[in-house]
Amino acid sequence: MERHVLESLLTGDDEASVIALATLRSGATYWVTDRAQPAGQHAGVFKGRLQRMRKHGLEPLGLERAVQLVSEHDRPVRTGMIDSADRTWTTLLFLTEDGSALVACAGWRLPLVRKPPL
């Protein structure tokens, strides 16, 4: 997917989409899969990842909402990632099967650092 096409999909006003677009425009690297997979499969995987992140004191931006939106999406989705040029931020993307629309996105700061147990 060409950069300008991906930029045109990041039109949402949620914080994760706004950060994703700004990151992409500032020279981030990115990739988008060509193959779609069942939305429910992705929702289950990322619901588990969200729970593990929270267990370790991490709160990814928009991941809970993304899991919900992908769960409600009745069609396969394509995934992608945007990694900031300075490697301090990453964004997870869920796109429609044909890649023509954004279903949801979420992001988090890098590196993921777990809080030590008390």
Side-chain angles (χ1 to χ4, degrees), residues 42 46 66 70 77-80 92-96 101-105:
H42 285 296
F46 285 97
V70 171
V77 294
R78 293 168 59 180
T79 56
L92 169 66
L93 306 169
F94 296 99
L95 305 170
T96 56
L102 181 71
V103 175
C105 72

Side-chain angles (χ1 to χ4, degrees), residues 33-105:
T33 59
D34 291 328
R35 195 175 112 220
Q37 295 183 329
Q41 180 180 346
H42 285 296
V45 166
F46 285 97
K47 181 178 181 180
R49 289 183 184 177
L50 174 61
Q51 290 169 345
R52 284 191 299 281
M53 290 171 120
R54 284 179 170 166
K55 180 180 176 182
H56 294 288
L58 303 168
E59 186 59 42
L61 181 64
L63 188 54
E64 183 173 15
R65 180 175 181 263
V67 167
Q68 178 184 351
L69 291 171
V70 171
S71 294
E72 295 169 357
H73 189 71
D74 221 14
R75 307 277 308 148
V77 294
R78 293 168 59 180
T79 56
M81 298 289 287
I82 301 171
D83 294 315
S84 65
D86 64 1
R87 299 288 189 219
T88 60
W89 186 264
T90 193
T91 301
L92 169 66
L93 306 169
F94 296 99
L95 305 170
T96 56
E97 186 172 9
D98 64 0
S100 66
L102 181 71
V103 175
C105 72

